[in-house]
Structures are given as C-alpha cells and as structure tokens.
Amino acid sequence: MKKLFLAILALTLIASCSKSDKPESTAEEAKSSTETTKQTPNKRYSIKSGYVIYSAPMGTTQTLYFDDNGAREVSITEVDLGVAKVKNIEIRRDGFSYNYEEGKNEGTKSKWYVPSSVDYSKADSETIERYKIKDLGTEVIAGKTCKKFSAEFGSSPMQTWVWNNIMVKSITKMAGEDFVIAATKIFEGTVDPKLFEIPVGVKFTEI
C-alpha cells in the first residue's frame, strides 16, 4: 500500500512529461546532464523554501520539504496501518534521489530527473494533446488560489490543483476508486537545512 501512494504522488509530480525530463540516451549525455543539474539546479517553485503536509487514504501522511526554490527536496511518507507504522524518507538533491526507510541502514540511490513543471498551462501542445490536458480554472485549496487541471494517463484520469508550481491536491482514479492526496498545511519560510543532508549511517546502493 505504501508503494501505491508513493507511485501516485510521484506520478503527479512528474506528470508534466516535458521532453527535458526524459532520461538521456547515452552515458556521456547522462554525465553531462548531471553536471548541468549540479551547476544550475532546477528552481521551479516561486517560493524559496517551506513545506507542505499532505493527507492520503489509509492513514498516510506525506510531508514535502523544499529549499532553493525546489532544487532540494525531502519527501517523508508515514503510513499508519494500525498494527505497524512505516516511515519512508526520500532526499532529492544534486541530480539524485536517496530513498530509505527510517530505522534501516540500507537504501537506494538513483538519478533524479527533475520535473520542470506541474503547472499544465506551461506544457507544450504535443503534451497537452497526448494527455488530454484541460484547464479547469481556479479553486481555493488549503487557503491558496490554485490552478486546476485534468489529464488522462492511460486508464488513470487525474485532476490536479497547483499553486506556485507546487502540487496542492490531486485526485487519481484507479480501479474505479478515487485516490485523493490533499494539502492540509502549507508553510512558507525557512526549513532546517539538516533535513537535506544525506545520512551517514545509511548505505545507498545505486540503481
């Protein structure tokens, strides 16, 4: 169940599907892309730093911390199944994603292909046509005036609310059910820089 919610949120965050987000075709290009990311981080949020707390089904809470306008992020997903609690942490910075479970000393490291935008109004015409993106106007969510869009990803239609290029809410229909992820709190301001540090006690295997 935890992986399902992570997959849904990940889908929402990368759904812009711009051509610049696709993996490079050669090792040399990938190296060049990573070096470019380090030199010029993708600062895609209009807010410099802060955090967003999301609620999701089945007792799932996710907190997204960000700094440098989104060039560094930490996503903490907590799942309370009643008999057990799981806390997954993903640190995204310098072109890589570090993923591990709290209390474990092993994790994974992978390339982080930073999405340029979750604001569908900035998508190119090919993307708009491919995913049947529609602009549904604006709506106030969690006290923020958000842009609202709908899109279709295969058999999973989605509605997304975006504020300052930050996802505030998403509704994804899967297997006939609506999976809702919605912000319950949005904070604008300084966050603890230690959150973005790679833990020294965890061994990350690159995948």
Side-chain angles (χ1 to χ4, degrees):
M1 186 63 69
K2 177 189 71 172
K3 291 183 179 179
L4 172 62
F5 293 135
L6 287 173
I8 294 173
L9 187 57
L11 174 64
T12 305
L13 294 177
I14 67 173
S16 58
C17 296
S18 66
K19 295 179 181 178
S20 62
D21 300 334
K22 295 179 181 179
E24 303 296 339
S25 56
T26 68
E28 188 63 32
E29 289 174 339
K31 179 181 178 181
S32 175
S33 175
T34 300
E35 290 174 349
T36 300
T37 301
K38 289 180 179 180
Q39 294 170 2
T40 56
N42 191 330
K43 297 187 177 184
R44 62 197 186 284
Y45 300 151
S46 300
I47 308 302
K48 183 181 184 300
S49 61
Y51 64 81
V52 184
I53 300 176
Y54 299 95
S55 65
M58 299 295 293
T60 301
T61 301
Q62 187 162 48
T63 304
L64 173 68
Y65 296 93
F66 60 91
D67 197 10
D68 293 337
N69 300 89
R72 298 189 298 167
E73 294 183 343
V74 174
S75 176
I76 300 177
T77 303
E78 299 178 79
V79 183
D80 187 350
L81 301 175
V83 294
K85 295 183 179 181
V86 178
K87 185 175 182 179
N88 188 84
I89 301 171
E90 183 179 5
I91 302 171
R92 301 186 285 258
R93 53 174 295 173
D94 302 324
F96 288 94
S97 170
Y98 302 82
N99 199 309
Y100 67 101
E101 187 177 316
E102 187 179 61
K104 301 291 181 65
N105 58 10
E106 293 184 348
T108 60
K109 174 185 176 181
S110 59
K111 290 283 179 61
W112 178 32
Y113 297 101
V114 187
S116 59
S117 178
V118 292
D119 183 342
Y120 295 126
S121 66
K122 299 177 181 178
D124 56 51
S125 58
E126 180 182 345
T127 300
I128 291 174
E129 182 178 355
R130 180 180 180 183
Y131 297 107
K132 300 179 181 178
I133 296 171
K134 295 181 180 178
D135 187 335
L136 303 179
T138 61
E139 187 173 335
V140 177
I141 304 291
K144 306 297 183 183
T145 300
C146 304
K147 296 180 181 179
K148 182 180 179 182
F149 301 93
S150 65
E152 295 183 18
F153 300 92
S155 59
S156 300
M158 175 188 293
Q159 290 187 349
T160 305
W161 289 257
V162 179
W163 171 76
N164 280 321
N165 211 23
I166 298 170
M167 191 204 79
V168 175
K169 181 179 178 179
S170 73
I171 301 177
T172 307
K173 186 172 288 292
M174 299 180 67
E177 295 186 35
D178 287 340
F179 289 86
V180 181
I181 299 175
T184 58
K185 181 178 180 179
I186 300 175
F187 171 79
E188 301 176 55
T190 304
V191 295
D192 188 350
K194 292 183 179 180
L195 287 167
F196 307 97
E197 295 178 358
I198 309 303
V200 294
V202 179
K203 179 182 178 181
F204 291 96
T205 301
E206 191 162 354
I207 58 176

